[in-house]
Short mmCIF file of all heavy atoms in Angstrom, two decimals:
data_model
loop_
_atom_site.label_atom_id
_atom_site.label_comp_id
_atom_site.label_asym_id
_atom_site.label_seq_id
_atom_site.Cartn_x
_atom_site.Cartn_y
_atom_site.Cartn_z
N LEU A 1428 112.60 -134.53 58.23
CA LEU A 1428 113.21 -133.37 57.76
C LEU A 1428 114.60 -133.20 58.39
O LEU A 1428 115.56 -132.89 57.75
CB LEU A 1428 112.34 -132.14 58.14
CG LEU A 1428 112.96 -130.74 57.74
CD1 LEU A 1428 113.21 -130.54 56.28
CD2 LEU A 1428 111.96 -129.69 58.32
N TYR A 1429 114.76 -133.63 59.65
CA TYR A 1429 116.03 -133.52 60.29
C TYR A 1429 116.96 -134.62 59.92
O TYR A 1429 118.27 -134.52 59.70
CB TYR A 1429 116.00 -133.46 61.82
CG TYR A 1429 115.72 -132.14 62.39
CD1 TYR A 1429 114.32 -131.69 62.36
CD2 TYR A 1429 116.73 -131.38 62.82
CE1 TYR A 1429 114.11 -130.43 62.86
CE2 TYR A 1429 116.40 -130.12 63.23
CZ TYR A 1429 115.12 -129.59 63.33
OH TYR A 1429 114.80 -128.38 63.73
N VAL A 1430 116.38 -135.85 59.62
CA VAL A 1430 117.17 -137.06 58.97
C VAL A 1430 117.79 -136.63 57.67
O VAL A 1430 119.09 -136.83 57.44
CB VAL A 1430 116.36 -138.19 58.87
CG1 VAL A 1430 117.04 -139.32 58.24
CG2 VAL A 1430 115.79 -138.56 60.36
N VAL A 1431 117.06 -136.13 56.75
CA VAL A 1431 117.52 -135.82 55.42
C VAL A 1431 118.49 -134.52 55.41
O VAL A 1431 119.11 -134.34 54.50
CB VAL A 1431 116.41 -135.75 54.32
CG1 VAL A 1431 115.69 -137.16 54.13
CG2 VAL A 1431 115.48 -134.69 54.67
N SER A 1432 118.29 -133.74 56.50
CA SER A 1432 119.00 -132.50 56.53
C SER A 1432 120.22 -132.78 57.42
O SER A 1432 120.93 -131.81 57.77
CB SER A 1432 118.13 -131.29 57.06
OG SER A 1432 117.08 -131.15 56.21
N ALA A 1433 120.56 -133.94 57.69
CA ALA A 1433 121.52 -134.23 58.78
C ALA A 1433 122.89 -133.69 58.39
O ALA A 1433 123.58 -133.10 59.18
CB ALA A 1433 121.73 -135.82 59.06
N PRO A 1434 123.34 -133.73 57.05
CA PRO A 1434 124.64 -133.15 56.76
C PRO A 1434 124.65 -131.63 57.01
O PRO A 1434 125.69 -131.15 57.62
CB PRO A 1434 124.83 -133.46 55.31
CG PRO A 1434 123.92 -134.78 55.01
CD PRO A 1434 122.82 -134.56 55.90
N ALA A 1435 123.59 -130.99 56.68
CA ALA A 1435 123.54 -129.54 57.03
C ALA A 1435 123.54 -129.30 58.50
O ALA A 1435 124.27 -128.41 58.89
CB ALA A 1435 122.37 -128.98 56.29
N VAL A 1436 122.82 -130.11 59.26
CA VAL A 1436 122.75 -129.86 60.67
C VAL A 1436 124.12 -130.09 61.23
O VAL A 1436 124.57 -129.37 62.09
CB VAL A 1436 121.72 -130.70 61.40
CG1 VAL A 1436 121.68 -130.70 62.82
CG2 VAL A 1436 120.30 -130.38 60.94
N ILE A 1437 124.76 -131.27 60.99
CA ILE A 1437 126.02 -131.58 61.63
C ILE A 1437 127.18 -130.84 61.15
O ILE A 1437 127.93 -130.24 61.96
CB ILE A 1437 126.32 -133.06 61.36
CG1 ILE A 1437 125.23 -133.97 61.91
CG2 ILE A 1437 127.75 -133.52 61.78
CD1 ILE A 1437 125.19 -133.98 63.44
N TYR A 1438 127.28 -130.59 59.79
CA TYR A 1438 128.49 -129.86 59.25
C TYR A 1438 128.29 -128.26 59.39
O TYR A 1438 129.09 -127.59 59.90
CB TYR A 1438 128.73 -130.17 57.96
CG TYR A 1438 129.13 -131.63 57.53
CD1 TYR A 1438 128.70 -132.36 56.59
CD2 TYR A 1438 130.17 -132.23 58.42
CE1 TYR A 1438 129.03 -133.72 56.34
CE2 TYR A 1438 130.55 -133.51 58.16
CZ TYR A 1438 130.01 -134.27 57.29
OH TYR A 1438 130.35 -135.59 56.93
N ASP A 1439 127.24 -127.95 58.86
CA ASP A 1439 127.00 -126.35 58.65
C ASP A 1439 126.50 -125.67 59.96
O ASP A 1439 127.00 -124.55 60.11
CB ASP A 1439 126.07 -126.20 57.44
CG ASP A 1439 126.46 -126.66 56.21
OD1 ASP A 1439 127.83 -126.96 55.98
OD2 ASP A 1439 125.66 -126.96 55.26
N LEU A 1440 125.45 -126.27 60.62
CA LEU A 1440 124.92 -125.63 61.72
C LEU A 1440 125.55 -125.74 63.01
O LEU A 1440 125.90 -124.92 63.84
CB LEU A 1440 123.52 -125.94 61.76
CG LEU A 1440 122.68 -125.77 60.65
CD1 LEU A 1440 121.23 -126.20 60.91
CD2 LEU A 1440 122.57 -124.21 60.35
N LEU A 1441 125.98 -127.21 63.24
CA LEU A 1441 126.69 -127.40 64.58
C LEU A 1441 128.18 -127.38 64.49
O LEU A 1441 128.95 -127.56 65.35
CB LEU A 1441 126.21 -128.82 65.06
CG LEU A 1441 124.76 -128.97 65.45
CD1 LEU A 1441 124.38 -130.27 65.83
CD2 LEU A 1441 124.56 -127.92 66.81
N HIS A 1442 128.64 -127.35 63.15
CA HIS A 1442 130.14 -127.27 62.98
C HIS A 1442 130.85 -128.55 63.50
O HIS A 1442 132.02 -128.47 64.21
CB HIS A 1442 130.69 -126.07 63.36
CG HIS A 1442 130.18 -124.82 62.82
ND1 HIS A 1442 130.24 -124.53 61.58
CD2 HIS A 1442 129.24 -123.99 63.43
CE1 HIS A 1442 129.49 -123.46 61.36
NE2 HIS A 1442 128.86 -123.10 62.47
#
Side-chain angles (χ1 to χ4, degrees):
L1428 175 60
Y1429 279 83
V1430 171
V1431 297
S1432 301
V1436 172
I1437 296 300
Y1438 295 133
D1439 303 334
L1440 301 178
L1441 293 173
H1442 307 291

